[in-house]
């Protein structure tokens, strides 16, 4: 998770050369499929970590009068809002060759 927080992935939308994206696979659709699966994994990791941190602040009272703002909880939420989006992190990992992938159909076609 520390890699995600220190990633150089862009926070804003950027244009990426299609040839850079499909170079490892030779197929843009396959590359996007791999990146999207990694983005889902990253999103699940971030969500799990955020919920664990926010659970520390949870109060289990039924009374609305006892609900108060917790500045630490707000700061945690703001930190996660400022992180790059999961798809930006995944594409950055893809461009840096940090995602392992293999085509399982290659072995079947050669036989």
């Amino acid at each position: 998770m520390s890699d995600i927080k220190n990633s150089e992935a862009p926070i804003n939308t950027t244009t990426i050369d299609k040839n850079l994206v499909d170079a490892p696979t030779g197929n843009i659709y396959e590359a996007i499929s791999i990146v999207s699966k990694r983005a889902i994994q990253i999103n699940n990791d971030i969500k799990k970590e955020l919920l664990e941190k926010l659970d520390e602040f949870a109060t289990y009272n039924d009374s609305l009068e006892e609900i108060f703002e917790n500045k630490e909880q707000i700061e945690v939420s703001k930190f996660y809002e400022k992180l790059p989006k999961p798809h930006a992190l995944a594409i950055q990992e893809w461009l840096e060759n940090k995602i392992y992938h293999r085509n399982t159909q290659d072995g079947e076609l050669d036989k």
Side-chain angles (χ1 to χ4, degrees), residues 1 4 35-52 80-81 83-91 93:
M1 199 67 196
I4 292 173
V35 170
S36 69
K37 289 176 185 178
R38 178 63 182 136
I40 291 169
Q41 291 174 343
I42 292 170
N43 187 49
N44 289 337
D45 291 345
I46 291 173
K47 184 177 179 179
K48 180 181 174 189
E49 184 177 305
L50 175 61
L51 291 176
E52 287 173 358
Y80 280 92
E81 286 177 4
L83 284 178
K85 303 298 179 219
H87 66 275
L89 293 165
I91 197 72
E93 287 182 1

Side-chain angles (χ1 to χ4, degrees), residues 58-107:
T59 57
Y60 300 102
N61 296 334
D62 292 336
S63 173
L64 292 175
E65 296 171 2
E66 295 180 15
I67 295 176
F68 60 93
E69 286 187 11
N70 187 334
K71 291 186 181 189
E72 293 171 350
Q73 183 179 3
I74 293 170
E75 290 301 318
V76 168
S77 296
K78 284 184 179 180
F79 173 77
Y80 280 92
E81 286 177 4
K82 291 179 184 177
L83 284 178
K85 303 298 179 219
H87 66 275
L89 293 165
I91 197 72
Q92 185 69 28
E93 287 182 1
W94 178 254
L95 294 174
E96 294 173 356
N97 293 321
K98 292 182 179 178
I99 298 177
Y100 171 77
H101 65 93
R102 64 187 174 96
N103 190 341
T104 56
Q105 294 180 351
D106 284 344

Side-chain angles (χ1 to χ4, degrees), residues 18 21-22 25 27-39 90-91 94:
K18 175 191 117 20
V21 175
D22 69 3
T25 61
N27 184 336
I28 188 68
Y29 302 106
E30 184 178 352
I32 289 176
S33 175
I34 293 167
V35 170
S36 69
K37 289 176 185 178
R38 178 63 182 136
I91 197 72
W94 178 254

